[in-house]
Amino acid sequence: MPEHTLLAIDAGQTGIKTRLVAPDGTAQEWLFPGVLTDRPLLTQLTSVVAEVTRVAQQAPHTVTFGVSGLTSADDEADALMQHPDVAGVQRIAVTHDSVTSFLGVLGDQQGAVVAAGTGVVTLGVGPEHSTRVDGWGHIMGDAGSGFWIGRAALDAVMRAFDGRGPATALTPVVQERWPDLETAYVALQSAEDRVRTVASFAAPTARHAASGDEVATRICRDAAAELAASALAALRVTDAPADAAVGAIGGVFGADIIRSAFEAAVRAERPDARFVPPAGTGLDGAVALADLGPGHPLHERFAERTR
């Protein structure tokens, strides 16, 4: 149990999950809209702290942040500590959400955790150091993510529409949103929430893959191959042992076709890899971040500030 009141924040693109833990171990949780990675993080994060403080009627002593789209933990920690909405907080710890995902899923084990939702990031931890693989955003990376799958689905639908590709059951799915496919791209490009809109087509793609649609099946298998490539790279770069643990979390892995193809691809290169169920969630990892000691391989990946 924390010595002081702790607010743990798991800020992903799908949603911002929070847990307020009192010294006696009792906890409350709230869910907020997800992080918009194309906008400044500071106001998005501080508004969450302010709202929890208002509801709890007291500022937490410690706040930990696992944040999607984080570029500099040090810069963000400095800015957060200076923001008036965090004035009552005595200690903060800031890191990328790949770190909190790893801590929540594998804890102190060596291995790799692939977190695949709207975006995707993989973190590997070996005997001496850690490494991050992908998580480079929907323009430069996020291979195998919900956005990546949705983008591939939209591409396939438009190829079927103009004659470049085979027919697919995904076409009526897209037409439910944009009946006129010829003007769909205009509506999508002008939408403020276009990243989430594109990612929203990942789930129906997985459903149609399960129903036998060949186009959807190919997309899902390609996504699994990308996710496996990230996991294998993380294990290789960190010199993780042959029987390293592999965790796979996030909505994308809710599709059986993707999870099974992912595991098969990893086993093809790492037959002794152990696919383990998550010990917890990214929010649990944000709680654990408060007690991460300097001897842990992930300690260098977060910034801490105190008053």
Side-chain angles (χ1 to χ4, degrees), residues 42-43 45-47 50 77-88 307:
L42 183 62
T43 55
L45 299 177
T46 55
S47 64
D78 289 337
L80 283 164
M81 213 56 170
Q82 296 168 16
H83 198 279
D85 285 345
V86 190
R307 296 194 196 279

Side-chain angles (χ1 to χ4, degrees), residues 11 14 16 26 37 45 58 86 93 103 114 118 128 136 156 226 244 264:
T14 304
I16 299 177
T26 58
T37 56
L45 299 177
Q58 183 178 5
V86 190
L103 290 171
V114 185
T118 299
E128 298 181 358
W136 311 132
E226 294 286 358

Side-chain angles (χ1 to χ4, degrees), residues 13-284:
Q13 296 178 59
T14 304
I16 299 177
K17 302 172 184 177
T18 67
R19 181 183 298 161
L20 185 66
V21 186
D24 64 1
T26 58
Q28 301 177 74
E29 295 189 1
W30 295 272
L31 177 64
F32 297 87
V35 168
L36 298 173
T37 56
D38 59 346
R39 299 181 185 180
L41 291 172
L42 183 62
T43 55
Q44 299 181 67
L45 299 177
T46 55
S47 64
V48 170
V49 177
E51 179 60 17
V52 173
T53 298
R54 184 190 68 79
V55 173
Q57 298 183 329
Q58 183 178 5
H61 176 278
T62 300
V63 182
T64 57
F65 299 86
V67 188
S68 177
L70 185 73
T71 54
S72 172
D74 282 313
D75 290 347
E76 206 65 41
D78 289 337
L80 283 164
M81 213 56 170
Q82 296 168 16
H83 198 279
D85 285 345
V86 190
V89 176
Q90 301 303 304
R91 174 182 173 231
I92 64 170
V94 184
T95 191
H96 192 268
D97 65 346
S98 59
V99 173
T100 46
S101 291
F102 190 99
L103 290 171
V105 175
L106 293 187
D108 290 332
Q109 296 186 75
Q110 295 178 25
V113 171
V114 185
T118 299
V120 62
V121 65
T122 298
L123 196 72
V125 174
E128 298 181 358
H129 68 283
S130 63
T131 191
R132 172 180 165 184
V133 179
D134 206 349
W136 311 132
H138 68 280
I139 296 176
M140 298 177 66
D142 285 356
S145 67
F147 177 90
W148 189 95
I149 294 169
R151 170 67 178 80
L154 292 174
D155 178 79
V157 167
M158 298 316 297
R159 287 176 180 272
F161 175 71
D162 64 21
R164 291 174 294 153
T168 171
L170 296 173
T171 295
V173 174
V174 176
Q175 285 181 309
E176 288 180 11
R177 175 124 193 169
W178 303 295
D180 183 4
L181 291 180
E182 192 153 336
T183 61
Y185 75 99
V186 178
L188 178 58
Q189 289 175 180
S190 61
E192 289 189 3
D193 61 344
R194 54 185 173 274
V195 173
R196 291 179 191 162
T197 298
V198 171
S200 71
F201 291 102
T205 299
R207 288 197 299 270
H208 282 288
S211 299
D213 183 80
E214 292 184 3
V215 171
T217 298
R218 172 183 54 78
I219 292 171
C220 288
R221 287 178 176 166
D222 288 349
E226 294 286 358
L227 297 170
S230 290
L232 290 166
L235 296 173
R236 184 169 57 252
V237 170
T238 58
D239 295 322
D243 63 346
V246 177
I249 61 170
V252 168
F253 286 110
D256 290 341
I257 186 173
I258 295 177
R259 179 175 286 273
S260 60
F262 164 79
E263 293 184 358
V266 172
R267 282 202 177 98
E269 184 173 321
R270 289 262 186 165
D272 295 327
R274 296 178 294 111
F275 294 93
V276 299
T281 65
L283 188 55
D284 294 315

